[in-house]
Amino acid sequence: MESILLSILTMGAIGLFFSAVISVAYQKLKVEVDPRVEKITDILPGANCGACGFPGCANYAEAIVQGAPINKCSVGGMAVAELIGEIMGIAPEDVVRKVARVLCQGDNEKAVWAGEYMGIPSCAAANLAGGAGKLCNYGCLGFGDCEKACPFGAIKVNARGLAEVDENICTGCGLCVQACPRNVISLEPIDKRVLVLCVSKDPGKISKSSCKVACIGCGLCVKKSPEGIALENNLAKIIDVEKINDESIEKCPTGAIRKLE
Amino acid sequence: MLTRALKAGVHPDECKFTAGSQIQQFECPERLYVPLQQHLGRKAKPVVKKGEIVKKGQRIGEADGFISANIHAPAGGKVKTIEKVMLPNGVFDDAIVIEVNLESGEVAEPTWPMKPLSELTPDDIRIIAREAGIVGLGGATFPTAVKLTPPDNVKIDTLIINGAECEPYLTADHRLMLERTEGIIEGAELVRRAVGAEKVFIGIEDNKKDAIQKFDELLKNKSGWEVVSLRSIYPQGAEKNLIKVVTGREVPVGGLPFNVNVAIQNVGTVYSIFRAATEGIPLVERVVTVSGDAVSNPGNFVIPFGTPAKLVLERCGALFDEIEKVIFGGPMMGMAIKGYDVPVIKSTSGILCFKRAVREKPKACLNCGKCVEVCTLNIAPTRVVKFIRAGKLEEAKNAGLLNCMECGCCAYICPSRIPLVQWLRYGKFMLRKMEAQK
């Protein structure tokens, strides 16, 4: 009994002594942190995706306090920007919600596969090995490097071997854009509803022979809406969605230019 | 004569069925698709226009920068257009299409000094290599002029002529050594003069006894020259390996043969230097081995660059219905092509057609250590690949990822059929990407 009492007392005394040391040290060595940083960190989604341009949410919060714009978080969108605005006492400018778009329609049926691939099931590895036998050197390979990179489960490779984005879940963080070895994915404003779903820069003759739904650079769409679309590197490029005539979309011989519902 | 052997490496079935067939001139087709990117480095700039009449050997593409090479017309004719064609790596790139006029025997004047061989100075030889668009014909196609220009503070004492030809099936260098022996020796002498080496070694694997004998006879009494008989093993013909086997010197990681005072050239390369210096013909054709079980008339052919694979295969009686895989280069390091329109280019040492491709699903690693045993660059492939699979690229780098030259021994020997080389390649790509993001 005595030994138990003695040990409790000793441990307690040591504990008390150190807590006193710590509390003194805490007072003496305190680092001033802006309380707002913590508040903003709490508001931010905590995905640490890096879409804002900072390594993580906490770093962005620090940057905001030091004067960075408050509307950089595309994951949180307008709601988060407003909350941060309240703390910082400034009005948030409009956050344009961006989503990832897979600019390729060449799935297993529509694109031509010249060979069979037995290697590592990863787009980056397949791309190094001659594109896994897919004749098109620009299109989606469908091994799902983007799917693995997406922290939200918004992008998935569908049954036809093509990556597909669920725009309701996509936060526009851009991790899939970085993961794609062929740069097929692009971040686009969600209200941009007309897209050229092809990235092939090959001349029409080649892209036509390698994929049924490739942009062949024929320029029909440009003729119908010269102010809305331009031709660049054998590829139609949208300049202004407002000025695109519906005929441009209907007339596309391969269906590479699409209007989303 | 010296005998040497590489430690480690693998010995696949040699399959050198065409070793006995003489080099034949391949008939120039009616249309040539001459790519502007046939070498390592920057793509050549086209210097001819549509509709222009070109002579054989005329420069049609100009080297763009130091590490680049000139491209010449393999035959006289008319430039039809410049269009994109598929290269052996599957990428579509610019090629000059020449409508060949077989009757015109005109050959363009060489753009380099034509002098008796003994009067050529080192600078003249470098000019020849540069102007004639000569690149390393062993497979890497690195511009030869660059290799002939060692940095000022380096003294090259040894030149190695690489006649190892360790890839299975390929016999192009073998035939060249037998049929153009004198030319190779003269060409090697020019290279020796250009780099200022005192000692010359000619490394030949002992599955080419006839070639070793022929060189030995000719070089017996020439002081400073030595034929090295190498026990056949793959990848002995790789630059760093051959240097180590022949001289015992080890090229540092990321270093060049210059770092150990050695210059090394393939037999095909030195022969094309000789040809440019004596006949004034630039590099417009090369010896290609056509072989494999899906070809009924295999052989060794001198094929002009820009000849589509299809014509070559038709000429050699390829069984198109049964072909499953066509490889440009050797079976270990070559590339499977994605279409028959791919033209023969400077790097094409062989065209191999196979009826059956390996198609086994990879299984789990057994930790048997065979890949470690065969690696000639002291990497433990299984360990590095495990780091890559776990995304630990820094660790993979520290374990020697960047030493790897992708020779394929580890993947060849792996009993679990793990695509180790592809993993290593993937690892290098991801490492570069990671370092670029930093």
Side-chain angles (χ1 to χ4, degrees):
Chain A
M1 189 63 206
E2 204 174 289
S3 59
I4 295 175
L5 210 66
L6 194 68
S7 53
I8 290 174
L9 282 173
T10 337
M11 290 307 289
I14 294 172
L16 270 175
F17 171 70
F18 278 113
S19 58
V21 171
I22 289 170
S23 60
V24 169
Y26 180 69
Q27 293 298 329
K28 290 260 172 195
L29 305 170
K30 198 173 179 183
V31 179
E32 284 299 329
V33 181
D34 196 318
R36 292 178 298 177
V37 173
E38 210 169 307
K39 275 190 197 157
I40 296 171
T41 312
D42 287 342
I43 293 167
L44 288 169
N48 290 321
C49 62
C52 51
F54 298 95
C57 292
N59 301 68
Y60 179 45
E62 255 170 57
I64 289 175
V65 174
Q66 277 156 26
I70 59 171
N71 58 357
K72 289 275 176 192
C73 181
S74 55
V75 178
M78 202 56 197
V80 163
E82 266 168 17
L83 287 173
I84 299 172
E86 274 170 30
I87 295 170
M88 296 297 293
I90 40 176
E93 297 128 58
D94 282 341
V95 185
V96 187
R97 192 181 156 213
K98 283 190 169 180
V99 289
R101 299 282 191 206
V102 179
L103 302 180
C104 178
Q105 301 183 87
D107 56 26
N108 289 345
E109 289 154 26
K110 287 170 189 144
V112 178
W113 293 75
E116 194 186 356
Y117 176 74
M118 301 281 290
I120 305 165
S122 143
C123 305
N127 192 36
L128 293 172
K134 191 174 192 164
L135 217 48
C136 174
N137 285 313
Y138 296 91
C140 173
L141 290 168
F143 292 102
D145 282 13
C146 49
E147 191 177 324
K148 278 166 225 150
C150 181
F152 309 101
I155 188 164
K156 287 215 167 65
V157 176
N158 63 21
R160 287 168 293 126
L162 197 68
E164 230 174 28
V165 180
D166 185 335
E167 62 176 30
N168 297 323
I169 308 175
C170 180
T171 60
C173 70
L175 286 176
C176 53
V177 178
Q178 280 173 33
C180 181
R182 288 191 152 189
N183 302 323
V184 178
I185 310 171
S186 152
L187 285 183
E188 302 283 352
I190 192 158
D191 54 359
K192 184 177 171 188
R193 305 305 285 181
V194 182
L195 294 165
V196 179
L197 294 178
C198 182
V199 286
S200 169
K201 293 190 179 86
D202 281 335
K205 198 175 131 197
I206 293 167
S207 44
K208 203 171 183 177
S209 65
S210 50
C211 182
K212 281 184 209 158
V213 284
C215 171
I216 52 172
C218 63
L220 270 180
C221 54
V222 182
K223 248 180 232 163
K224 297 291 170 195
S225 12
E227 283 175 6
I229 312 174
L231 213 56
E232 207 175 80
N233 289 325
N234 301 312
L235 196 60
K237 190 184 168 199
I238 292 173
I239 311 167
D240 192 344
V241 182
E242 300 294 312
K243 288 177 183 151
I244 293 177
N245 198 329
D246 274 354
E247 244 185 298
S248 279
I249 302 160
E250 286 155 24
K251 280 278 150 69
C252 178
T254 57
I257 181 162
R258 273 283 178 82
K259 189 169 199 168
L260 306 177
E261 285 119 38
Chain B
M1 194 174 74
L2 299 166
T3 22
R4 295 281 157 83
L6 176 70
K7 295 194 183 86
V10 294
H11 194 205
D13 286 344
E14 281 167 14
C15 301
K16 303 220 183 225
F17 308 121
T18 48
S21 47
Q22 265 199 340
I23 298 174
Q24 298 165 54
Q25 181 67 40
F26 191 87
E27 201 185 308
C28 188
E30 286 166 10
R31 199 174 281 174
L32 290 168
Y33 300 82
V34 190
L36 290 165
Q37 178 82 70
Q38 300 193 31
H39 46 264
L40 210 74
R42 297 270 291 272
K43 185 163 101 178
K45 280 187 294 198
V47 289
V48 286
K49 281 190 205 77
K50 196 172 158 177
E52 208 171 311
I53 303 289
V54 292
K55 291 178 194 165
K56 181 179 178 178
Q58 184 180 330
R59 192 170 66 179
I60 53 176
E62 189 186 9
D64 183 17
F66 187 50
I67 303 196
S68 182
N70 287 337
I71 306 283
H72 301 83
K78 193 173 163 191
V79 176
K80 197 174 158 250
T81 170
I82 297 176
E83 64 173 35
K84 303 239 178 205
V85 299
M86 197 199 277
L87 299 187
N89 61 4
V91 174
F92 290 90
D93 212 335
D94 290 327
I96 295 172
V97 184
I98 300 176
E99 203 81 60
V100 176
N101 177 6
L102 288 171
E103 272 130 51
S104 101
E106 262 188 294
V107 178
E109 273 299 304
T111 52
W112 54 89
M114 292 296 288
K115 293 187 215 167
L117 288 185
S118 54
E119 284 173 27
L120 287 171
T121 63
D123 278 332
D124 289 338
I125 298 163
R126 278 189 277 271
I127 290 168
I128 291 174
R130 172 130 279 247
E131 285 295 319
I134 292 168
V135 299
L137 296 182
T141 59
F142 191 77
T144 302
V146 182
K147 283 178 88 173
L148 295 183
T149 319
D152 288 337
N153 54 352
V154 171
K155 167 85 183 79
I156 300 288
D157 56 19
T158 309
L159 168 69
I160 300 174
I161 302 299
N162 186 348
E165 198 164 55
C166 56
E167 281 257 12
Y169 288 93
L170 302 187
T171 56
D173 286 353
H174 183 186
R175 290 311 306 180
L176 199 72
M177 286 191 284
L178 278 181
E179 296 174 35
R180 316 271 198 272
T181 323
E182 286 84 3
I184 291 171
I185 294 173
E186 294 283 357
E189 166 59 27
L190 294 180
V191 174
R192 189 199 65 77
R193 207 181 300 159
V195 297
E198 290 124 31
K199 202 86 186 100
V200 183
F201 291 103
I202 299 182
I204 308 171
E205 286 201 341
D206 62 6
N207 54 3
K208 295 177 267 292
K209 290 235 159 53
D210 41 0
I212 296 177
Q213 209 185 346
K214 197 147 182 209
F215 272 100
D216 209 29
E217 267 165 33
L218 288 168
L219 297 173
K220 244 186 322 212
N221 303 318
K222 209 166 171 185
S223 79
W225 290 62
E226 192 119 38
V227 180
V228 188
S229 164
L230 308 157
R231 188 166 59 82
S232 304
I233 195 145
Y234 176 88
Q236 193 152 239
E239 201 168 77
K240 289 184 180 178
N241 284 338
L242 194 62
I243 293 172
K244 188 161 184 218
V245 170
V246 173
T247 65
R249 301 176 198 170
E250 203 152 333
V251 181
V253 177
L256 291 166
F258 292 147
N259 298 106
V260 291
N261 309 336
V262 174
I264 181 162
Q265 294 287 349
N266 174 269
V267 285
T269 318
V270 295
Y271 179 69
S272 49
I273 294 174
F274 166 75
R275 213 174 152 209
T278 52
E279 293 171 46
I281 305 252
L283 185 58
V284 290
E285 54 191 18
R286 68 163 294 157
V287 188
V288 179
T289 300
V290 185
S291 187
D293 58 1
V295 180
S296 37
N297 303 312
N300 302 298
F301 302 90
V302 174
I303 305 181
F305 300 137
T307 308
K310 190 167 183 157
L311 296 179
V312 179
L313 295 180
E314 271 168 6
R315 159 80 171 70
C316 297
L319 314 164
F320 282 101
D321 299 338
E322 293 174 51
I323 290 179
E324 251 199 44
K325 196 171 192 173
V326 179
I327 297 174
F328 262 46
M332 297 295 281
M333 284 190 83
M335 287 181 191
I337 55 167
K338 291 200 276 186
Y340 291 122
D341 296 332
V342 175
V344 169
I345 61 171
K346 290 178 182 175
S347 65
T348 314
S349 46
I351 303 179
L352 309 173
C353 302
F354 297 106
K355 284 184 187 169
R356 227 176 55 82
V358 175
R359 44 180 74 232
E360 269 180 74
K361 277 241 147 78
K363 294 174 218 61
C365 175
L366 305 169
N367 285 316
C368 66
K370 282 210 164 126
C371 53
V372 186
E373 234 167 66
V374 297
C375 182
T376 54
L377 298 172
N378 303 325
I379 312 168
T382 167
R383 196 169 120 86
V384 178
V385 167
K386 275 171 194 161
F387 281 135
I388 295 168
R389 293 181 98 142
K392 294 184 190 300
L393 300 170
E394 271 306 320
E395 281 88 339
K397 187 181 168 187
N398 294 338
L401 171 61
L402 296 177
N403 290 16
C404 174
M405 59 165 174
E406 301 167 17
C407 68
C409 288
C410 50
Y412 171 83
I413 208 82
C414 180
S416 288
R417 291 264 163 261
I418 300 170
L420 289 160
V421 181
Q422 207 196 353
W423 275 113
L424 291 163
R425 254 179 127 180
Y426 168 76
K428 283 188 203 170
F429 170 78
M430 295 307 270
L431 183 69
R432 270 201 306 276
K433 196 168 162 182
M434 190 184 83
E435 281 173 351
Q437 269 173 7
K438 254 185 213 162

